[in-house]
Amino acid sequence: MIRCDALVVGGGPAGSTCAWALGRSGWNVVVADRARFPRDKVCAGWLTPDVFRLLELDPAEYRATGATLQEITGFRTGVMGAALVDTSYPDVVSYAIRRREFDAFLLRRAGAQVLEDTPIQTLRRRGGAWVVNDTIETPLVVGAGGHFCPVARHLRGGADTSSPVVAKEAEFKLDPDHARVIPAVPELFFCRDMEGYAWSVRKGEYLNVGIGRRDSRGFTRHVEEFIAFLERRHTLTPGSSPRWRGHAYLAWGAGARPMVADGMLVVGDAAGLAYPESGEGIKPAIESARLAADTLIDSSGRVDVESLRPYAHALRRLHPPATRRTAPVRAALAALGRALLGSPT
């Protein structure tokens, strides 16, 4: 039987950051993940400077490991199929990373014991502790396993009924025909109904293209139209077959979803924390992981629900429930969005 102070379920940015923050305060942390790292992850993969500050990580330190770190100094934005508007900045405003490199780096940095190829199959209480897979005993389980996290499912008492954002992307090494893709300027293509957007993001020698929508209705058609659009722009070669991967996540704020229980809390996508308008999930994931770790450290190791409740309250202040707009309001906002995207100001 493996015994630890905390079991973190999920080795992505939220899980590894929580493990790192607890570990440097003396906690014995184990991270379990169903995958083997490095692994691919559906994500446009750009980070704001705030992410590096939250990680207490210098971008130069990360680049020195040999990992991809593409500086971003501008964006090209517009409605898909229409003219794009160029916006440039005097300084670096974001960085593009490859998630397979970034996540593996953060997990190594955490310094925790990592159990790869370890899906969570059983989760039960015994004598004030959690017994996981009948092989791990711990007073605290941190759910950091994304939208389908088994810890979040346990907290909810069943499957999630909320409507997730759905996304599909492909990341592939560039060939000489793609050299015209500007490294420092990602392209964002908004759907005409403004219910989603697509992207083309250069990451050094790699290109990441993808599309995300607020719900799955008609999603296959939107993906097919986006691929055809990329082929017309010669971003993709007609007939080429890059490997497309799908993903789902919530972007409605913390809301009324359960965040804590005795000896249990959730962070990142498992808590539904991606920003509603942009879909960005990495910063909220890392932010929530730091907040969770700080709460646990401040509680002197107490993990009862009352000791964890300050984390839930703080999370809901940072990520209040998003307003679900009516169809007429969405249509009006879409028209306004299309007009603004056509303006260079």
Side-chain angles (χ1 to χ4, degrees), residues 89-215:
Y89 301 91
D91 300 307
V92 174
V93 292
S94 291
Y95 302 88
I97 49 90
R98 300 190 69 213
R99 284 292 300 273
R100 65 179 289 112
E101 298 171 347
F102 185 69
D103 292 11
F105 168 84
L106 292 181
L107 191 55
R108 288 194 305 270
R109 188 181 78 143
Q113 179 182 356
V114 180
L115 305 177
E116 298 177 292
D117 297 322
T118 305
I120 302 306
Q121 298 171 325
T122 60
L123 185 62
R124 58 188 177 85
R125 289 289 273 174
R126 185 176 72 187
W130 291 102
V131 177
V132 183
N133 290 356
D134 292 322
T135 59
I136 307 167
E137 186 176 68
T138 180
L140 175 70
V141 176
V142 177
H147 179 59
F148 299 104
C149 181
V151 180
R153 181 186 179 95
H154 185 92
L155 273 174
R156 288 191 306 267
D160 202 322
T161 58
S162 301
S163 176
V165 172
V166 290
K168 211 162 191 180
E169 61 130 38
E171 188 165 293
F172 51 91
K173 197 163 188 177
L174 288 162
D175 59 41
D177 291 338
H178 293 114
R180 66 181 184 82
V181 179
I182 302 173
V185 185
E187 296 176 318
L188 304 180
F189 315 103
F190 288 85
C191 301
R192 286 198 60 79
D193 61 3
M194 305 303 287
E195 291 297 310
Y197 69 91
W199 62 84
S200 173
V201 181
R202 178 84 174 262
K203 304 177 180 184
E205 297 180 348
Y206 290 82
L207 186 68
N208 183 291
V209 293
I211 182 170
R213 300 266 307 166
R214 285 198 172 105
D215 63 54

Side-chain angles (χ1 to χ4, degrees), residues 267-283:
V267 294
D269 278 357
L273 299 183
Y275 291 128
E277 296 307 321
S278 68
E280 178 190 357
I282 296 178
K283 181 185 174 182

